[in-house]
Amino acid sequence: MQTTLISVNGDRLNQTLSQLAAIGQLSAGGVCRLAYSAEDLQARQQVQTWMQDAGMTVRIDAAGNMIGRYPGRLELPALATGSHIDTVPTGGRYDGALGVLAGLEVVRSLHDQRIQLRHPLEVIVFTDEEGGMIGSKAMAGTAPAQAAEYRRPDGSDIQDCLRQIGGDWSQLHQARRTSAEIAAYVELHVEQGGILEAEDKQIGIVEGIVSLHRCHITVIGRPNHAGTTPMHRRRDAMVAAAQVVTALNDIAVHTPGGQVATIGYFNISPNAANIIPGRVEMEADIRDLSEPHIEALIAQLQAKITAIATATQTEITLERGMTIKPTLASPAIQAAIAQVCDQLQLSSCSMPSRAIHDAQEIGRFTEMGMIFIPSIAGVSHAEDEYSSPDQCIQGATVLLQTLLQLDTLM
Ligand SMILES: [Zn+2]
């Protein structure tokens, strides 16, 4: 099919991005708009007004999600888009905000031209993406059952938090949605990595959001005097641990595939300069789109660990920790995005998302797709996060045309 003549108003999109970035603006150009803060509340109020002015009805669900709905011509499940407007403490102007405001711009463009799609169109501001994703989790039915299990980074009580934005923890089940209500969800987001820039591509077509597996590794050696113990009589937990770090890195570097693996947590004891380390605790974080592939990597690591333990005369155990299942993007939506990019003559490539997004939860109950635009130098969750005005317009244009395609397909 052809792309239609409807287009987004790029100047208005970039102006709106600047207006939202002024709420919680930091001196170096970034934004601090922590979920549930005064700035977050102000930003939510502003977006609500913009949505209403664009012909949407707006409701707040029990999880505090703000749902703007633009009516369709037919009684069909909605097409949905959106993202989040909360930020990390020193965040950028684009992470989350772009997805929400591009969705708003899509509706504004339709409203300007008095066009309704076949489907109702929802623009969703998900609650607290950066602090635990209560909004998208409640919608998917994956939020913890007990409030005490829901740990926010600052330790605040989720029930109090939700109350401040018009939500209600005790009614959280009412926020749940199904594919009978939302036929497809497409989220535009900045890449937050450097692949598109390195590959010189304008648009990333997300294949899925990767699975994450954590492993807790404990090395037990023998603490002893650092002066009097000869080298050949040592059972140094730190020396063994260092080999485990290198082994995991080698596996991740040399195994074919797109996996990433990190040991970012390390705790050594007794942690004194004159004592041979007796115990080291480490946490490995391994991510890939394919869970069987992650299992194969962990099996390789386990084999190396056994060999390292023997060679260093230490005891090393690997315990499995938290896992997050991957969410694969809908092939039909990926194909629609690819076709739109071809028609618009925008270069594109398929890629996994190695960062977590609201789409990960929404994709658990309905067809999901994500569109990435480049992040300059791969910087995000930082004040100098940047995507150019043209890149933002390209992303919003692809979002609009993809939603138009899905409106005819679904
Ligand atoms: Zn985000």
Side-chain angles (χ1 to χ4, degrees), residues 83-84 86 94-97 129-130 187 189-190 192 355-358 370 380-381 385:
S83 195
H84 59 98
D86 65 308
Y94 305 91
D95 174 6
E129 196 267 352
E130 302 291 1
E187 180 169 346
H189 207 283
V190 290
Q192 304 185 280
I356 287 169
H357 298 292
D358 292 306
M370 281 193 85
S380 186
H381 281 189
E385 176 184 274

Coordinates of all heavy atoms in Angstrom, one line a residue, residues 83-84 86 94-97 129-130 187 189-190 192 355-358 370 380-381 385, ligand 1:
S83 N 4.7 5.9 25.8 CA 6.0 5.7 26.5 C 5.9 6.3 27.9 O 4.8 6.3 28.4 CB 7.1 6.2 25.6 OG 8.4 5.7 26.1
H84 N 6.9 6.9 28.3 CA 6.9 7.5 29.7 C 7.4 8.9 29.7 O 8.2 9.3 28.8 CB 7.7 6.6 30.7 CG 9.2 6.5 30.3 ND1 10.1 7.3 30.8 CD2 9.8 5.7 29.3 CE1 11.3 6.9 30.3 NE2 11.1 6.0 29.3
D86 N 8.5 10.2 32.9 CA 9.4 10.3 34.1 C 10.8 10.1 33.6 O 11.0 9.5 32.5 CB 9.0 9.3 35.2 CG 9.2 7.8 34.8 OD1 8.7 7.4 33.7 OD2 9.9 7.0 35.5
Y94 N 14.8 13.2 25.7 CA 14.2 12.3 24.7 C 13.7 11.0 25.2 O 12.8 10.4 24.7 CB 15.2 12.1 23.5 CG 15.7 13.4 23.0 CD1 16.9 14.0 23.5 CD2 15.0 14.1 22.0 CE1 17.3 15.3 23.0 CE2 15.4 15.4 21.6 CZ 16.6 15.9 22.1 OH 17.0 17.2 21.6
D95 N 14.4 10.4 26.2 CA 14.1 9.1 26.7 C 12.7 9.1 27.2 O 12.4 9.8 28.2 CB 15.1 8.7 27.8 CG 14.7 7.4 28.5 OD1 13.8 6.7 28.1 OD2 15.4 7.1 29.5
G96 N 11.8 8.4 26.5 CA 10.4 8.3 27.0 C 9.6 9.4 26.4 O 8.6 9.2 25.7
A97 N 10.0 10.7 26.6 CA 9.2 11.9 26.2 C 9.0 11.8 24.7 O 7.9 12.1 24.2 CB 10.0 13.1 26.5
E129 N 8.2 4.5 34.6 CA 9.0 3.5 33.9 C 10.4 3.3 34.5 O 10.9 2.2 34.6 CB 9.2 4.0 32.4 CG 9.6 2.9 31.5 CD 11.1 2.8 31.3 OE1 11.8 3.7 31.8 OE2 11.6 1.9 30.6
E130 N 11.0 4.4 35.0 CA 12.4 4.3 35.4 C 12.5 3.7 36.8 O 13.5 3.2 37.2 CB 13.0 5.7 35.5 CG 13.0 6.5 34.1 CD 14.0 5.8 33.1 OE1 14.6 4.8 33.4 OE2 14.1 6.4 32.0
E187 N 5.8 1.5 20.0 CA 6.5 2.5 20.8 C 7.7 3.1 20.0 O 8.5 2.3 19.6 CB 6.9 2.0 22.1 CG 7.6 3.0 23.0 CD 7.8 2.5 24.5 OE1 7.2 1.5 24.9 OE2 8.6 3.1 25.2
H189 N 11.1 5.2 20.4 CA 12.0 5.5 21.5 C 13.4 5.8 20.9 O 13.7 5.3 19.8 CB 12.1 4.2 22.4 CG 12.5 4.6 23.8 ND1 13.8 4.9 24.2 CD2 11.7 4.7 25.0 CE1 13.8 5.1 25.5 NE2 12.6 5.0 26.0
V190 N 14.2 6.6 21.7 CA 15.6 6.7 21.3 C 16.3 5.4 21.6 O 16.0 4.7 22.5 CB 16.3 7.9 22.0 CG1 15.7 9.2 21.5 CG2 16.1 7.8 23.5
Q192 N 19.3 4.7 22.8 CA 20.0 4.6 24.0 C 21.3 3.8 23.9 O 21.8 3.2 24.9 CB 19.2 4.1 25.2 CG 17.9 4.9 25.4 CD 17.1 4.4 26.6 OE1 16.4 3.4 26.6 NE2 17.3 5.1 27.7
A355 N 17.9 -2.6 26.2 CA 17.3 -1.8 27.4 C 15.9 -2.2 27.6 O 15.2 -2.7 26.6 CB 17.5 -0.3 27.1
I356 N 15.4 -2.0 28.8 CA 14.0 -2.4 29.1 C 13.1 -1.2 28.7 O 13.5 -0.1 28.9 CB 13.9 -2.7 30.6 CG1 14.6 -4.1 30.9 CG2 12.5 -2.7 31.1 CD1 14.8 -4.4 32.3
H357 N 11.9 -1.5 28.2 CA 11.0 -0.5 27.9 C 9.6 -1.0 28.3 O 9.3 -2.2 28.5 CB 11.0 -0.2 26.4 CG 12.3 0.3 25.9 ND1 12.8 1.5 26.2 CD2 13.2 -0.3 25.1 CE1 14.0 1.7 25.6 NE2 14.3 0.6 25.0
D358 N 8.6 0.0 28.3 CA 7.2 -0.4 28.6 C 6.7 -1.4 27.6 O 5.9 -2.3 28.0 CB 6.3 0.8 28.6 CG 6.6 1.8 29.8 OD1 6.6 1.3 30.9 OD2 6.9 3.0 29.5
M370 N 8.5 -1.8 18.1 CA 9.2 -0.6 18.5 C 10.0 -0.1 17.4 O 10.6 -0.8 16.6 CB 10.2 -0.9 19.7 CG 9.5 -1.1 21.1 SD 10.7 -1.0 22.4 CE 10.9 0.8 22.6
S380 N 22.7 8.0 26.8 CA 21.3 8.1 27.3 C 21.4 8.0 28.8 O 22.4 7.7 29.4 CB 20.4 7.1 26.8 OG 19.0 7.3 27.2
H381 N 20.3 8.3 29.5 CA 20.2 8.4 31.0 C 21.3 9.4 31.4 O 22.1 9.1 32.4 CB 20.4 7.0 31.6 CG 19.1 6.2 31.6 ND1 19.0 5.1 32.3 CD2 17.9 6.5 31.0 CE1 17.7 4.6 32.1 NE2 17.1 5.5 31.4
E385 N 22.2 13.5 26.5 CA 21.4 12.6 25.5 C 20.9 13.5 24.4 O 20.4 14.6 24.6 CB 20.2 12.1 26.3 CG 19.3 11.2 25.5 CD 18.1 10.8 26.4 OE1 18.2 9.8 27.1 OE2 17.1 11.5 26.5
Ligands
ZN1 ZN 12.7 5.1 28.2

